[in-house]
Amino acid sequence: RARLARSNSMLGKGLLALLSSEKIDQDVWDEIEETLLMADLGSEPSQRLVEALQTRVRVEGTDDPVRVKTMLREELLKIVDPTMDRELGLDGEGENPGVVLVVGVNGVGKTTTVGKLARVMVAEDKTLLLGAADTFRAAAADQLETWGGRVGVDTIRSEQEGADPASVAYESAAEAKKRGVDTLMVDTAGRLQNKAGLMDQLGKVKRVVEKVSPVTEVLLVIDATTGQNGMVQAKVFAEVVDITGIVLTKLDGTAKGGIVVAIQNELGVPVKLVGLGEGPDDLAPFDPEGFVDALID
Ligand code: GDP
């Protein structure tokens, strides 16, 4: 969180400076909206926030900068919504392992996230298995195997580059059930050149896995540094498969953490985890209050 706070402190300083203006007139409100936009909060939420603040300033009869900042904090929290269920669906039922599908465009940090999450789960004494259904890049399976190996978790993979991702996913699920592990995590390929192809592939992966065991979580991984472009990708995935949670990676590398607000506002799906670096421990549960504080402090 400290790293997040530092990278985002520009927004807080900018806002406080604006709120401290002698008189908060329309120009200042416009600049506040611009500042929110620049932090990647998205146009609809930025506009809505400014309108909410304007109304509250009028109704509450104060434009004291500290007070307005508190209002902003409250309004941001309404969008980020701390009451959303952010628990990961990791557990199956009886003999069925829980299955976590990890989806997203290439390079956003899927494999890394699976590796980090595996580490957390092992530390919590859970048993698991990894499935390398990203068969388009041979290196992806190697990378996954390396992450798993570090914490003593096996990876089911195909030696054949370009193998059918659904068949690897199916075999992983069958093996996970046979071994009686708590959870199977499936890393998928994210080639986004055509939506129909992606839909076919992810849909098939999900269907075949569900013949064996219930899919308990579909995590969409989004790279925070890609800003509004990441938003567009997120929408495509959300149309293709029912997303149950979002992992926002590379928040350490951006001063634009506001993308969290934009994504949740747009998709109505909670951000559950955040990636804060490349190291094995750089994954954290998303903390709405801490996030909003870091964003505007
Ligand atoms: P995939 O193609 O979606 O599986 O992406 P990878 O897991 O291979 O990650 C792509 C690159 O992003 C790698 O160099 C990772 O080390 C890096 N990466 C992943 N998550 C994070 C993060 O939270 N912060 C930073 N700074 N880098 C990350």
Side-chain angles (χ1 to χ4, degrees):
R1 204 197 291 174
R3 273 167 295 186
L4 185 62
R6 199 165 56 234
S7 65
N8 284 293
S9 60
M10 288 309 292
L11 175 60
K13 285 209 189 75
L15 285 172
L16 196 61
L18 286 168
L19 294 172
S20 305
S21 310
E22 209 156 294
K23 186 175 177 309
I24 306 186
D25 56 17
Q26 190 54 45
D27 284 347
V28 174
W29 285 121
D30 288 346
E31 279 185 64
I32 290 172
E33 188 172 331
E34 185 67 19
T35 306
L36 295 172
L37 273 172
M38 293 295 288
D40 267 343
L41 273 89
S43 61
E44 202 266 332
S46 299
Q47 202 180 338
R48 190 142 57 91
L49 278 167
V50 168
E51 279 166 10
L53 288 184
Q54 283 177 316
T55 304
R56 288 186 60 175
V57 162
R58 200 170 52 238
V59 171
E60 296 175 35
T62 171
D63 63 1
D64 171 58
V66 176
R67 181 69 201 122
V68 180
K69 208 171 157 190
T70 305
M71 294 176 195
L72 176 60
R73 183 181 188 279
E74 289 165 2
E75 296 300 323
L76 273 168
L77 260 184
K78 279 187 203 162
I79 302 182
V80 175
D81 195 355
T83 66
M84 274 185 168
D85 183 9
R86 290 187 163 83
E87 191 87 28
L88 291 174
L90 302 176
D91 296 325
E93 240 177 66
E95 296 183 351
N96 293 317
V99 181
V100 181
L101 297 184
V102 181
V103 307
V105 180
N106 278 343
V108 292
K110 288 184 298 297
T111 309
T112 308
T113 298
V114 171
K116 292 171 177 173
L117 201 50
R119 195 179 154 87
V120 172
M121 289 165 70
V122 166
E124 289 172 354
D125 284 332
K126 300 238 193 231
T127 54
L128 64 148
L129 193 65
L130 306 180
D134 180 354
T135 55
F136 292 102
R137 290 185 307 132
D142 294 342
Q143 199 189 337
L144 191 67
E145 217 164 24
T146 304
W147 276 103
R150 282 187 203 139
V151 286
V153 171
D154 288 343
T155 299
I156 303 301
R157 61 178 295 179
S158 166
E159 291 310 323
Q160 206 186 327
E161 195 170 323
D164 179 11
S167 92
V168 178
Y170 180 81
E171 278 167 37
S172 308
E175 185 64 20
K177 186 161 173 169
K178 194 172 114 198
R179 294 192 191 185
V181 295
D182 300 320
T183 307
L184 166 70
M185 270 196 283
V186 181
D187 190 16
T188 66
R191 298 201 308 174
L192 233 192
Q193 74 282 61
N194 101 47
K195 190 173 136 190
L198 180 77
M199 191 173 318
D200 271 1
Q201 188 209 307
L202 282 181
K204 195 169 158 202
V205 163
K206 188 158 184 252
R207 274 197 310 279
V208 300
V209 164
E210 279 177 335
K211 285 184 184 160
V212 181
S213 212
V215 171
T216 47
E217 185 78 51
V218 181
L219 289 176
L220 172 63
V221 182
I222 298 173
D223 176 344
T225 65
T226 58
Q228 295 301 313
N229 194 24
M231 247 339 292
V232 175
Q233 297 168 357
K235 278 197 249 174
V236 173
F237 276 89
E239 284 168 26
V240 169
V241 59
D242 287 331
I243 308 294
T244 58
I246 290 159
V247 183
L248 199 63
T249 58
K250 311 189 194 181
L251 265 178
D252 53 307
T254 176
K256 297 187 163 195
I259 193 73
V260 169
V261 178
I263 288 169
Q264 286 212 169
N265 182 64
E266 188 75 39
L267 300 184
V269 175
V271 173
K272 293 189 173 178
L273 297 167
V274 292
L276 297 168
E278 298 188 79
D281 293 323
D282 296 327
L283 183 74
F286 177 64
D287 161 20
E289 274 98 355
F291 170 78
V292 169
D293 286 343
L295 194 63
I296 63 170
D297 275 352

Short mmCIF file of all heavy atoms in Angstrom, two decimals, residues 193-226:
data_model
loop_
_atom_site.label_atom_id
_atom_site.label_comp_id
_atom_site.label_asym_id
_atom_site.label_seq_id
_atom_site.Cartn_x
_atom_site.Cartn_y
_atom_site.Cartn_z
N GLN A 193 -6.96 -11.05 -30.85
CA GLN A 193 -7.13 -10.48 -32.20
C GLN A 193 -8.54 -10.64 -32.74
O GLN A 193 -8.97 -9.88 -33.57
CB GLN A 193 -6.08 -10.99 -33.20
CG GLN A 193 -6.23 -12.41 -33.69
CD GLN A 193 -5.77 -13.40 -32.65
OE1 GLN A 193 -6.31 -13.46 -31.56
NE2 GLN A 193 -4.76 -14.17 -32.98
N ASN A 194 -9.26 -11.62 -32.23
CA ASN A 194 -10.67 -11.64 -32.63
C ASN A 194 -11.57 -12.21 -31.56
O ASN A 194 -11.29 -13.21 -30.92
CB ASN A 194 -10.80 -12.25 -34.03
CG ASN A 194 -11.25 -13.68 -34.05
OD1 ASN A 194 -12.20 -14.06 -33.37
ND2 ASN A 194 -10.57 -14.49 -34.84
N LYS A 195 -12.65 -11.49 -31.36
CA LYS A 195 -13.52 -11.78 -30.23
C LYS A 195 -14.19 -13.14 -30.35
O LYS A 195 -14.32 -13.86 -29.36
CB LYS A 195 -14.58 -10.66 -30.13
CG LYS A 195 -15.38 -10.71 -28.86
CD LYS A 195 -16.28 -9.50 -28.75
CE LYS A 195 -17.65 -9.91 -28.29
NZ LYS A 195 -18.63 -8.82 -28.39
N ALA A 196 -14.57 -13.49 -31.57
CA ALA A 196 -15.23 -14.78 -31.76
C ALA A 196 -14.30 -15.92 -31.36
O ALA A 196 -14.71 -16.88 -30.70
CB ALA A 196 -15.69 -14.93 -33.21
N GLY A 197 -13.03 -15.81 -31.76
CA GLY A 197 -12.05 -16.84 -31.44
C GLY A 197 -11.85 -16.96 -29.94
O GLY A 197 -11.80 -18.06 -29.37
N LEU A 198 -11.75 -15.82 -29.30
CA LEU A 198 -11.55 -15.79 -27.85
C LEU A 198 -12.75 -16.41 -27.14
O LEU A 198 -12.62 -17.22 -26.22
CB LEU A 198 -11.38 -14.34 -27.39
CG LEU A 198 -11.16 -14.15 -25.91
CD1 LEU A 198 -9.74 -14.51 -25.52
CD2 LEU A 198 -11.46 -12.72 -25.49
N MET A 199 -13.94 -16.06 -27.64
CA MET A 199 -15.16 -16.55 -27.03
C MET A 199 -15.23 -18.06 -27.15
O MET A 199 -15.53 -18.76 -26.19
CB MET A 199 -16.37 -15.90 -27.71
CG MET A 199 -17.65 -16.13 -26.97
SD MET A 199 -19.09 -15.22 -27.59
CE MET A 199 -18.53 -13.61 -27.95
N ASP A 200 -14.91 -18.55 -28.34
CA ASP A 200 -14.88 -19.99 -28.58
C ASP A 200 -13.95 -20.67 -27.59
O ASP A 200 -14.30 -21.63 -26.93
CB ASP A 200 -14.30 -20.28 -29.98
CG ASP A 200 -15.41 -20.29 -31.01
OD1 ASP A 200 -16.56 -20.05 -30.61
OD2 ASP A 200 -15.10 -20.52 -32.19
N GLN A 201 -12.73 -20.11 -27.51
CA GLN A 201 -11.70 -20.75 -26.73
C GLN A 201 -12.01 -20.73 -25.23
O GLN A 201 -11.99 -21.77 -24.57
CB GLN A 201 -10.38 -20.05 -27.01
CG GLN A 201 -9.20 -20.75 -26.39
CD GLN A 201 -8.11 -19.77 -26.08
OE1 GLN A 201 -7.69 -19.01 -26.94
NE2 GLN A 201 -7.67 -19.76 -24.85
N LEU A 202 -12.34 -19.56 -24.71
CA LEU A 202 -12.62 -19.48 -23.27
C LEU A 202 -13.90 -20.21 -22.90
O LEU A 202 -13.98 -20.87 -21.86
CB LEU A 202 -12.72 -18.02 -22.82
CG LEU A 202 -11.40 -17.28 -22.65
CD1 LEU A 202 -11.67 -15.85 -22.17
CD2 LEU A 202 -10.48 -18.00 -21.67
N GLY A 203 -14.89 -20.10 -23.78
CA GLY A 203 -16.15 -20.79 -23.54
C GLY A 203 -15.92 -22.29 -23.46
O GLY A 203 -16.44 -22.97 -22.57
N LYS A 204 -15.10 -22.79 -24.38
CA LYS A 204 -14.84 -24.23 -24.43
C LYS A 204 -14.05 -24.68 -23.20
O LYS A 204 -14.35 -25.71 -22.59
CB LYS A 204 -14.05 -24.55 -25.71
CG LYS A 204 -14.03 -26.01 -26.07
CD LYS A 204 -13.47 -26.20 -27.48
CE LYS A 204 -12.95 -27.61 -27.66
NZ LYS A 204 -11.96 -27.70 -28.75
N VAL A 205 -13.05 -23.87 -22.83
CA VAL A 205 -12.26 -24.19 -21.63
C VAL A 205 -13.20 -24.33 -20.43
O VAL A 205 -13.15 -25.30 -19.68
CB VAL A 205 -11.18 -23.11 -21.36
CG1 VAL A 205 -10.64 -23.21 -19.94
CG2 VAL A 205 -10.04 -23.23 -22.37
N LYS A 206 -14.08 -23.36 -20.29
CA LYS A 206 -14.98 -23.37 -19.14
C LYS A 206 -15.93 -24.57 -19.19
O LYS A 206 -16.13 -25.26 -18.19
CB LYS A 206 -15.77 -22.05 -19.11
CG LYS A 206 -16.59 -21.86 -17.86
CD LYS A 206 -16.91 -20.40 -17.60
CE LYS A 206 -17.65 -20.22 -16.29
NZ LYS A 206 -19.06 -19.88 -16.45
N ARG A 207 -16.47 -24.82 -20.36
CA ARG A 207 -17.42 -25.95 -20.49
C ARG A 207 -16.78 -27.29 -20.17
O ARG A 207 -17.36 -28.09 -19.44
CB ARG A 207 -17.99 -26.00 -21.92
CG ARG A 207 -19.19 -25.10 -22.14
CD ARG A 207 -19.96 -25.49 -23.41
NE ARG A 207 -19.11 -25.63 -24.59
CZ ARG A 207 -18.68 -24.60 -25.34
NH1 ARG A 207 -19.02 -23.37 -25.01
NH2 ARG A 207 -17.92 -24.81 -26.40
N VAL A 208 -15.58 -27.52 -20.71
CA VAL A 208 -14.99 -28.85 -20.48
C VAL A 208 -14.57 -29.01 -19.01
O VAL A 208 -14.71 -30.08 -18.44
CB VAL A 208 -13.79 -29.17 -21.42
CG1 VAL A 208 -14.22 -29.14 -22.87
CG2 VAL A 208 -12.61 -28.25 -21.17
N VAL A 209 -14.08 -27.94 -18.43
CA VAL A 209 -13.69 -28.02 -17.02
C VAL A 209 -14.92 -28.35 -16.17
O VAL A 209 -14.88 -29.18 -15.26
CB VAL A 209 -13.04 -26.69 -16.55
CG1 VAL A 209 -13.00 -26.62 -15.04
CG2 VAL A 209 -11.64 -26.55 -17.13
N GLU A 210 -16.04 -27.71 -16.51
CA GLU A 210 -17.25 -27.90 -15.71
C GLU A 210 -17.84 -29.31 -15.83
O GLU A 210 -18.68 -29.70 -15.02
CB GLU A 210 -18.29 -26.82 -16.06
CG GLU A 210 -17.95 -25.54 -15.32
CD GLU A 210 -18.87 -24.37 -15.64
OE1 GLU A 210 -19.45 -24.35 -16.74
OE2 GLU A 210 -18.96 -23.48 -14.78
N LYS A 211 -17.37 -30.07 -16.83
CA LYS A 211 -17.78 -31.47 -16.88
C LYS A 211 -17.16 -32.24 -15.72
O LYS A 211 -17.64 -33.30 -15.34
CB LYS A 211 -17.33 -32.10 -18.20
CG LYS A 211 -18.17 -31.65 -19.37
CD LYS A 211 -17.75 -32.37 -20.63
CE LYS A 211 -18.55 -31.80 -21.80
NZ LYS A 211 -17.92 -32.07 -23.08
N VAL A 212 -16.05 -31.69 -15.20
CA VAL A 212 -15.32 -32.39 -14.14
C VAL A 212 -15.58 -31.76 -12.78
O VAL A 212 -15.85 -32.44 -11.80
CB VAL A 212 -13.80 -32.37 -14.43
CG1 VAL A 212 -13.04 -33.11 -13.34
CG2 VAL A 212 -13.50 -32.93 -15.81
N SER A 213 -15.52 -30.43 -12.73
CA SER A 213 -15.58 -29.74 -11.45
C SER A 213 -16.08 -28.30 -11.63
O SER A 213 -15.85 -27.71 -12.69
CB SER A 213 -14.15 -29.73 -10.87
OG SER A 213 -14.19 -29.79 -9.48
N PRO A 214 -16.74 -27.75 -10.62
CA PRO A 214 -17.31 -26.41 -10.80
C PRO A 214 -16.25 -25.31 -10.90
O PRO A 214 -15.26 -25.33 -10.17
CB PRO A 214 -18.15 -26.21 -9.54
CG PRO A 214 -17.56 -27.12 -8.53
CD PRO A 214 -17.03 -28.29 -9.28
N VAL A 215 -16.48 -24.39 -11.83
CA VAL A 215 -15.62 -23.20 -11.90
C VAL A 215 -16.12 -22.24 -10.81
O VAL A 215 -17.24 -21.76 -10.86
CB VAL A 215 -15.68 -22.55 -13.29
CG1 VAL A 215 -14.98 -21.19 -13.30
CG2 VAL A 215 -15.06 -23.48 -14.33
N THR A 216 -15.27 -22.00 -9.83
CA THR A 216 -15.70 -21.23 -8.65
C THR A 216 -15.26 -19.77 -8.70
O THR A 216 -15.72 -18.95 -7.92
CB THR A 216 -15.14 -21.88 -7.38
OG1 THR A 216 -13.75 -22.16 -7.58
CG2 THR A 216 -15.87 -23.16 -7.05
N GLU A 217 -14.35 -19.48 -9.65
CA GLU A 217 -13.87 -18.09 -9.75
C GLU A 217 -13.33 -17.88 -11.16
O GLU A 217 -12.58 -18.72 -11.67
CB GLU A 217 -12.75 -17.86 -8.71
CG GLU A 217 -12.22 -16.46 -8.61
CD GLU A 217 -13.13 -15.51 -7.81
OE1 GLU A 217 -13.53 -15.85 -6.69
OE2 GLU A 217 -13.45 -14.43 -8.33
N VAL A 218 -13.72 -16.77 -11.78
CA VAL A 218 -13.12 -16.39 -13.05
C VAL A 218 -12.48 -15.02 -12.84
O VAL A 218 -13.17 -14.01 -12.70
CB VAL A 218 -14.14 -16.33 -14.21
CG1 VAL A 218 -13.44 -15.95 -15.51
CG2 VAL A 218 -14.85 -17.67 -14.37
N LEU A 219 -11.16 -15.03 -12.77
CA LEU A 219 -10.44 -13.78 -12.49
C LEU A 219 -9.97 -13.15 -13.79
O LEU A 219 -9.28 -13.77 -14.59
CB LEU A 219 -9.21 -14.06 -11.61
CG LEU A 219 -9.47 -14.45 -10.16
CD1 LEU A 219 -8.15 -14.79 -9.46
CD2 LEU A 219 -10.19 -13.32 -9.42
N LEU A 220 -10.37 -11.90 -13.99
CA LEU A 220 -9.88 -11.15 -15.14
C LEU A 220 -8.71 -10.29 -14.68
O LEU A 220 -8.83 -9.49 -13.76
CB LEU A 220 -11.00 -10.26 -15.69
CG LEU A 220 -10.59 -9.27 -16.78
CD1 LEU A 220 -10.08 -9.99 -18.03
CD2 LEU A 220 -11.76 -8.36 -17.16
N VAL A 221 -7.56 -10.50 -15.33
CA VAL A 221 -6.37 -9.74 -14.96
C VAL A 221 -6.23 -8.54 -15.89
O VAL A 221 -6.32 -8.67 -17.11
CB VAL A 221 -5.10 -10.63 -15.05
CG1 VAL A 221 -3.87 -9.86 -14.61
CG2 VAL A 221 -5.27 -11.88 -14.18
N ILE A 222 -6.06 -7.38 -15.28
CA ILE A 222 -5.92 -6.14 -16.05
C ILE A 222 -4.66 -5.41 -15.61
O ILE A 222 -4.37 -5.30 -14.42
CB ILE A 222 -7.15 -5.23 -15.84
CG1 ILE A 222 -8.43 -5.93 -16.33
CG2 ILE A 222 -6.99 -3.90 -16.56
CD1 ILE A 222 -9.70 -5.18 -16.00
N ASP A 223 -3.91 -4.93 -16.59
CA ASP A 223 -2.68 -4.18 -16.35
C ASP A 223 -3.06 -2.71 -16.12
O ASP A 223 -3.54 -2.04 -17.04
CB ASP A 223 -1.79 -4.36 -17.59
CG ASP A 223 -0.50 -3.55 -17.52
OD1 ASP A 223 -0.40 -2.62 -16.69
OD2 ASP A 223 0.40 -3.85 -18.33
N ALA A 224 -2.83 -2.23 -14.90
CA ALA A 224 -3.24 -0.86 -14.55
C ALA A 224 -2.55 0.21 -15.40
O ALA A 224 -3.08 1.30 -15.59
CB ALA A 224 -2.97 -0.59 -13.07
N THR A 225 -1.38 -0.13 -15.93
CA THR A 225 -0.63 0.88 -16.69
C THR A 225 -1.21 1.10 -18.09
O THR A 225 -0.81 2.02 -18.79
CB THR A 225 0.87 0.51 -16.84
OG1 THR A 225 0.98 -0.68 -17.61
CG2 THR A 225 1.51 0.29 -15.49
N THR A 226 -2.15 0.23 -18.50
CA THR A 226 -2.72 0.40 -19.85
C THR A 226 -3.94 1.32 -19.85
O THR A 226 -4.54 1.55 -20.90
CB THR A 226 -3.11 -0.95 -20.48
OG1 THR A 226 -4.04 -1.60 -19.62
CG2 THR A 226 -1.90 -1.84 -20.67
#
